[in-house]
Amino acid sequence: MNKIDLSGKWQLYMDASCSSGLPAAYGDEITLPGTTAEARKGERNTERASGYLTDPYKFEGHAWFGRKIDICEEWSSRQLYLRLERTRMTSLYVDGEPCGECDSLCSPHIYKLPQLTEGIHRIDICVKNVGYPTKGGHMTSPDTQTNWNGITGAIELLIRPKVHIDDIAVLSKTDPKHVVFSCEAVDICEAHITVDGGKTVTMMLRKGSNKVIYTPDAELSMWDEFSPELHCLSIAVNGELQKVSFGIRKLATNGRKLLVNGRETFLRGKHDGMLFPLTGYAPTDVDSWLKVLQTAKNYGINHYRFHTCCPPDAAFTAADMLGIYMQPELPFWGTVPDELTDEQRYLIEEGSRILKEFGNHPSFFSMSLGNELWGNKDIMNDILARYRREDDRHLYLDGSNNFQFMPCALKNADILSGVRLSRERLYRGSYPMCDAPLGFIQTDAPNTAHSYDKIIVPDTLGEASEGGKIQIQYGTGVKEVEGDAAETFIPEIPVISHEIGQYEMYPDYSEIEKYTGVLKAENIALFREKAEQNGLLRYAEDHFKASGALAIDCYKREIEAALKSEELSGFQLLDIQDFTGQGTALVGILNSMMQSKGLITPEKWRQFCNSVVIMAEFDKFVFSSEEDIVFGVTLFCTDPSFRATRASYTIECDGSVELYGHIRIKHEKRVDRLGRITFRADDIMRPAVYKLTLSVEGTDICNTYEFSVFPDINITITENEIRTENKVVKIAHDRESTLNSLEKGIKVLYVPDSGDKLPGTYCTDMWCFPMFRSISESMGKPVPIGTLGLLIDESSETLGQFPCRSYTTPQWFDIVMHSHCEELDEPGITPIVQVIDHPDRAKMLGLLYNIRTGFGTLTVCTSRLWEIADKPEVRWFAKSITDMM
């Protein structure tokens, strides 16, 4: 098309009072595309937001943008359109006369202009970011891209022949020998058609709808994540050439299997709310999206789920090029009523606009009706049926995690996205306390044997859920919904686990200075100030690294559980990227700008998140030297080019190889259990840490695990003492008797009563402690513990016989789960094992520490070791403590 770029200087008038009619005068100017916040227009916002990033120039109201355009004689005989690629609700005035309104949040606003004469004409655009027909989800949320005002994409004058074609849709999805497309013609016209620069076919198009079949000279290659082959359809009508990029790919389901071009696939997805702190809005250029999506792909991601939002065309274009499966979602988070409202009608039309605008992209994989929806299932079914009639090139979901405790698979849904199939049938590793029961990552001793297969397809079904009013977590708050009675069921469509992970870590305060653009990290700065006030800032970097190491281990075990599950067809991580809203959820291995935090390399992450992953299945990671160490070897594979036939396993300790062997790769199915390996370490005299390396021969595919082995020792642990072969250490539970014993020269370990103190927990906090604390309190449910793992002084002599790292590892599980947290708020304390507190609460917490007293050093341990005295690691932990007394 002949396009005139209208970017550049525009006049600006900002009207917070939202008056009607054209402004009397402008008085300011702005460079477009952009936003008023990016241009630092309006009054400065002095608020420091604590729950999300701060927009220093937040503006809500009507923003007017005006300029003149010069129409030449040739253009005056053409049909002119104004195209605004990405904006808010708009009204257009041409030469002072109203020329229409558009309210799409997701698709371009295209205005057909009146016939303009040669000469100067005026365009005025009113952009409104108030009074939306829907709340907008993450299209307008301060938690993500903010409720910006402006025009952020292309601003173009389209100069078109009177007779032209629109709405070109490439319908080919299975047949590489033919290209089928449809289009709308303004009138009868002659079209010249070619694909990939091949032969040109000329044909007459009738007025209205046309369906055309073009046969290329050679069979076209197919598109998928491994071979994202693209083609170009060119159509010339009356001197106007339109080019449409497309790919041929067939999406289908077969029971619970998800198929691309007839091959089973598995979605390794991430959540995305279009969080771009430097600009406060999503980019509309391909290069920016290539950088973002390639970063995600470097970490093994092949799928993007956009939470209540739809990205611009550039994102789909970049995904086409890289082989990423994209899932836009209607900007809706709520209840579908029994009778269609204006909001629902708007959302239905918005979905149709998304399909029409972006449907040619092969990366457009699926579309969801919204996030965590409730309401009328019949209406949802009808909407899905409508969309499939409009465009059957994609897969459809009724929503993401709909009906929460009462899930169901709607008739017209292709995929079920959720977290549970009943209150107890959980297929995610972590849950907030308000949605208990908790997940296996939060409750079970660390293992890699967990699978969701018996959850999705159980041997027996439990009881049905009763209907009625129930209270649910809704966004960052609480609401009451009416739930239908839910039958227990086994889904017969592919199942995707929704928003898995959410493992929080301590802030990296050095990141604050990276927020050099529109949005400022005042929320993280407030955390830093509280840490400084409470004397924690000196530990901040160590807290960040230690909590990050634990979070990564939690992510690894959850991702591997998903990959091992034959009945699961994908997951959507929340997230490899920090989410700096909803109370500030620092859950990413990348910061909010998709930059590495330095915690793990892409290569290391891809060991457990990729199209081919070799995994060990351990029931536990802590063993006695008197037991066999047995683990399974499993291969996950969706890569059609994978041909390796043998894997190897190596077990090492202190640089010495203890076991080496091979195992055959069968190539039987997506999840192959290759065999089980047995190892025994019965000749050790001291605790030892072993490293298992699994490798696929002839490739760089590998994975590593560590496990600990503890020999038996003669030690007795009771509530009142620890007795070894040559020492007895008293256990005291109140401060006065402890100091009396210390004064008398009696060896004593102080284990304070737990009372109503904060309990210990192994797993790091889920999502965001401030948000879920508030929700739990509102619902009258237990609040989350809110800690982020341990920071361990591994060089301490007190731990000299208990091999450990500076961060939480599996031998600490029972010790922590049978402990509480003591506040270290007195002088003379030397922490040995700190419990990392959430930065919002910012307490100095301890599990094991020394206190300097007038009678010597007092060792304090908050773990009730006598409750777990049979555990080999606990016996060595007690020995290590008492040997130093």
Side-chain angles (χ1 to χ4, degrees):
M1 291 185 187
N2 189 5
K3 304 175 183 179
I4 302 301
D5 183 7
L6 298 182
S7 64
K9 295 292 184 183
W10 287 67
Q11 293 176 299
L12 171 67
Y13 175 74
M14 298 168 66
D15 179 12
S17 64
C18 305
S19 305
S20 59
L22 288 160
Y26 276 87
D28 202 352
E29 64 179 18
I30 189 172
T31 299
L32 295 178
T35 67
T36 56
E38 190 176 25
R40 300 184 179 183
K41 300 295 183 179
E43 294 184 11
R44 185 172 177 82
N45 170 27
T46 58
E47 173 197 8
R48 301 179 74 195
S50 61
Y52 43 79
L53 299 176
T54 296
D55 182 353
Y57 288 91
K58 176 183 175 182
F59 170 76
E60 293 184 336
H62 293 183
W64 287 86
F65 305 97
R67 64 162 291 169
K68 294 177 181 179
I69 58 173
D70 188 0
I71 303 298
C72 66
E73 180 181 3
E74 180 188 356
W75 299 354
S76 65
S77 62
R78 297 295 186 102
Q79 180 60 63
L80 304 182
Y81 294 85
L82 177 68
R83 181 176 181 269
L84 312 175
E85 181 181 3
R86 180 139 293 213
T87 182
R88 300 311 198 184
M89 299 187 300
T90 62
S91 300
L92 175 65
Y93 291 77
V94 178
D95 294 332
E97 295 298 322
C99 197
E101 297 180 343
C102 289
D103 58 10
S104 178
L105 294 172
C106 300
S107 65
H109 295 194
I110 300 177
Y111 288 95
K112 183 178 181 180
L113 302 186
Q115 198 68 41
L116 299 181
T117 59
E118 180 183 359
I120 303 298
H121 296 268
R122 181 167 184 85
I123 293 176
D124 294 284
I125 304 168
C126 180
V127 178
K128 310 162 194 174
N129 64 344
V130 292
Y132 296 120
T134 186
K135 290 182 179 179
H138 285 323
M139 293 298 295
T140 60
S141 169
D143 295 303
T144 52
Q145 62 172 315
T146 76
N147 186 28
W148 51 263
N149 194 310
I151 305 170
T152 61
I155 308 169
E156 300 170 323
L157 188 65
L158 308 182
I159 304 156
R160 311 196 63 187
K162 294 286 188 181
V163 177
H164 55 264
I165 63 170
D166 285 314
D167 303 339
I168 301 170
V170 181
L171 306 177
S172 302
K173 57 183 182 179
T174 59
D175 184 1
K177 297 180 181 179
H178 301 93
V179 176
V180 183
F181 69 91
S182 64
C183 64
E184 293 287 326
V186 172
D187 207 335
I188 298 172
C189 57
E190 185 178 78
H192 307 279
I193 306 162
T194 185
V195 171
D196 293 345
K199 65 183 179 184
T200 299
V201 174
T202 301
M203 63 175 57
M204 296 301 297
L205 301 179
R206 65 176 179 267
K207 180 179 180 180
S209 299
N210 292 266
K211 186 174 183 179
V212 178
I213 299 176
Y214 174 95
T215 304
D217 295 326
E219 187 173 306
L220 300 182
S221 51
M222 304 286 280
W223 183 97
D224 67 6
E225 64 176 292
F226 302 104
S227 182
E229 297 287 343
L230 295 172
H231 307 284
C232 182
L233 168 66
S234 300
I235 309 173
V237 173
N238 289 331
E240 179 181 76
L241 177 63
Q242 296 189 60
K243 293 185 177 183
V244 178
S245 176
F246 69 97
I248 298 177
R249 53 99 179 102
K250 180 183 180 182
L251 307 180
T253 64
N254 182 11
R256 285 178 292 277
K257 304 302 182 185
L258 195 56
L259 307 178
V260 177
N261 299 334
R263 294 192 305 264
E264 185 178 0
T265 195
F266 188 93
L267 301 180
R268 304 181 308 277
K270 78 174 289 295
H271 158 287
D272 195 274
M274 297 202 298
L275 175 60
F276 291 88
L278 296 183
T279 59
Y281 59 86
T284 55
D285 65 289
V286 174
D287 285 347
S288 293
W289 279 102
L290 282 172
K291 182 179 179 180
V292 168
L293 297 182
Q294 184 62 62
T295 298
K297 192 168 183 176
N298 290 345
Y299 287 88
I301 297 300
N302 70 348
H303 168 57
Y304 257 65
R305 175 250 169 165
F306 290 90
H307 183 305
T308 58
C309 60
C310 178
D313 187 78
F316 290 99
T317 299
D320 292 345
M321 298 164 67
L322 295 175
I324 304 285
Y325 302 129
M326 305 283 267
Q327 179 181 301
E329 191 167 86
L330 296 187
F332 182 57
W333 192 346
T335 298
V336 176
D338 293 334
E339 298 291 334
L340 285 181
T341 62
D342 288 343
E343 180 184 27
Q344 289 302 313
R345 293 186 184 92
Y346 167 83
L347 289 164
I348 292 170
E349 292 301 322
E350 188 76 336
S352 294
R353 288 188 286 261
I354 290 171
L355 293 171
K356 182 178 177 180
E357 183 65 27
F358 308 115
N360 284 322
H361 291 283
S363 60
F364 191 155
F365 184 86
S366 52
M367 188 168 77
S368 161
L369 300 188
N371 181 67
E372 296 178 353
L373 306 182
W374 290 80
N376 192 298
K377 297 172 185 176
D378 291 335
I379 290 179
M380 293 184 197
N381 249 326
D382 290 343
I383 297 170
L384 292 174
R386 165 181 164 155
Y387 288 159
R388 184 170 285 107
R389 287 192 303 270
E390 292 179 4
D391 192 341
D392 66 354
R393 295 173 292 179
H394 322 289
L395 301 178
Y396 292 96
L397 297 82
D398 54 32
S400 299
N401 194 30
N402 287 4
F403 306 108
Q404 293 183 1
F405 293 106
M406 304 172 177
C408 63
L410 295 187
K411 175 183 176 182
N412 291 325
D414 295 306
I415 298 171
L416 175 63
S417 169
V419 302
R420 50 165 52 90
L421 292 169
S422 69
R423 185 172 287 274
E424 304 293 333
R425 288 169 64 193
L426 311 178
Y427 60 98
R428 191 171 79 179
S430 64
Y431 296 80
M433 292 288 286
C434 60
D435 286 346
L438 301 181
F440 80 97
I441 298 289
Q442 297 164 301
T443 61
D444 297 359
N447 70 86
T448 53
H450 197 87
S451 161
Y452 301 120
D453 288 336
K454 291 297 183 182
I455 300 295
I456 298 171
V457 186
D459 294 329
T460 58
L461 290 173
E463 297 181 357
S465 302
E466 295 183 0
K469 291 188 181 298
I470 59 172
Q471 202 176 38
I472 63 163
Q473 174 232 332
Y474 175 65
T476 58
V478 177
K479 79 172 183 177
E480 190 174 68
V481 297
E482 185 73 35
D484 297 333
E487 296 294 328
T488 57
F489 73 108
I490 295 174
E492 298 299 334
I493 58 176
V495 177
I496 307 297
S497 52
H498 163 85
E499 295 184 357
I500 74 166
Q502 307 189 42
Y503 300 114
E504 192 169 15
M505 56 195 80
Y506 197 81
D508 174 9
Y509 293 129
S510 68
E511 179 188 308
I512 296 172
E513 63 187 25
K514 296 180 181 179
Y515 288 82
T516 57
V518 172
L519 303 182
K520 305 301 180 184
E522 297 296 340
N523 47 348
I524 302 175
L526 288 169
F527 285 157
R528 187 185 189 281
E529 291 166 16
K530 187 176 288 188
E532 187 171 25
Q533 292 166 7
N534 294 355
L536 291 171
L537 200 55
R538 58 185 169 141
Y539 297 110
E541 184 176 357
D542 291 334
H543 283 179
F544 160 65
K545 291 178 179 178
S547 62
L550 173 59
I552 287 169
D553 182 63
C554 293
Y555 276 118
K556 176 176 180 175
R557 288 186 283 119
E558 175 147 15
I559 289 171
E560 289 192 357
L563 297 182
K564 290 188 185 87
S565 301
E566 298 181 44
E567 302 295 347
L568 194 70
S569 283
F571 59 76
Q572 294 163 339
L573 280 167
L574 184 58
D575 195 356
I576 63 169
Q577 175 187 13
D578 278 347
F579 189 94
T580 44
Q582 292 189 356
T584 311
L586 304 179
V587 297
I589 54 169
L590 309 177
N591 63 25
S592 63
M593 292 163 276
M594 291 290 283
Q595 300 165 338
S596 173
K597 293 182 178 181
L599 296 169
I600 187 171
T601 64
E603 293 77 16
K604 190 74 173 176
W605 183 271
R606 287 201 307 273
Q607 288 184 4
F608 55 86
C609 182
N610 210 345
S611 58
V612 183
V613 175
I614 190 165
M615 297 169 282
E617 294 195 44
F618 280 97
D619 291 325
K620 60 181 181 178
F621 288 101
V622 182
F623 299 89
S624 163
S625 62
E626 299 181 353
E627 64 181 314
D628 287 339
I629 299 164
V630 182
F631 59 90
V633 179
T634 298
L635 185 81
F636 165 90
C637 179
T638 58
D639 186 346
S641 67
F642 181 73
R643 296 288 185 270
T645 59
R646 199 166 73 159
S648 65
Y649 52 87
T650 306
I651 296 177
E652 301 172 87
C653 183
D654 293 330
S656 174
V657 175
E658 304 292 328
L659 183 68
Y660 177 78
H662 299 92
I663 194 165
R664 186 172 67 86
I665 295 173
K666 304 178 221 178
H667 291 279
E668 291 180 350
K669 50 187 178 179
R670 188 189 82 203
V671 181
D672 266 345
R673 263 75 185 186
L674 304 182
R676 297 183 69 76
I677 310 299
T678 300
F679 171 70
R680 195 174 180 94
D682 52 8
D683 58 348
I684 60 173
M685 303 299 294
R686 295 175 58 82
V689 177
Y690 292 82
K691 179 182 178 181
L692 167 66
T693 301
L694 300 175
S695 301
V696 176
E697 294 186 356
T699 75
D700 59 358
I701 297 166
C702 65
N703 206 345
T704 58
Y705 303 83
E706 284 189 350
F707 59 90
S708 301
V709 183
F710 293 83
D712 191 30
I713 51 173
N714 184 13
I715 189 170
T716 302
I717 307 171
T718 70
E719 191 171 357
N720 298 312
E721 68 176 21
I722 299 174
R723 184 180 294 269
T724 65
E725 291 179 338
N726 54 12
K727 186 178 293 187
V728 176
V729 174
K730 177 182 177 181
I731 294 179
H733 302 285
D734 67 90
R735 185 69 172 263
E736 184 176 354
S737 65
T738 300
L739 292 176
N740 287 338
S741 296
L742 198 63
E743 183 179 9
K744 294 173 184 177
I746 298 172
K747 299 183 186 303
V748 59
L749 175 67
Y750 179 32
V751 181
D753 288 331
S754 58
D756 59 356
K757 297 169 185 174
L758 190 68
T761 190
Y762 182 88
C763 185
T764 190
D765 186 52
M766 187 261 186
W767 189 238
C768 174
F769 170 67
M771 172 179 143
F772 279 118
R773 175 185 57 195
S774 173
I775 291 172
S776 289
E777 290 170 350
S778 298
M779 297 175 74
K781 294 188 176 183
V783 299
I785 294 171
T787 52
L788 308 175
L790 306 177
L791 174 62
I792 303 157
D793 181 2
E794 56 186 321
S795 65
S796 170
E797 294 181 349
T798 304
L799 297 175
Q801 299 192 64
F802 188 73
C804 55
R805 298 188 180 275
S806 60
Y807 52 86
T808 317
T809 49
Q811 70 265 36
W812 289 98
F813 178 81
D814 283 304
I815 296 169
V816 173
M817 296 300 282
H818 289 261
S819 75
H820 68 275
C821 303
E822 284 288 325
E823 292 190 26
L824 310 187
D825 53 3
E826 63 177 286
I829 288 180
T830 302
I832 301 170
V833 179
Q834 293 183 46
V835 180
I836 303 170
D837 198 15
H838 192 280
D840 181 71
R841 187 168 50 202
K843 300 288 187 180
M844 180 72 172
L845 303 175
L847 184 152
L848 179 67
Y849 52 98
N850 290 331
I851 304 177
R852 188 173 62 252
T853 74
F855 313 112
T857 298
L858 172 63
T859 299
V860 184
C861 176
T862 70
S863 182
R864 301 176 296 280
L865 303 180
W866 57 91
E867 296 176 353
I868 43 177
D870 60 326
K871 302 288 185 179
E873 69 275 21
V874 174
R875 296 163 69 82
W876 275 93
F877 180 66
K879 172 179 168 56
S880 189
I881 293 173
T882 55
D883 279 2
M884 291 309 300
M885 291 184 174

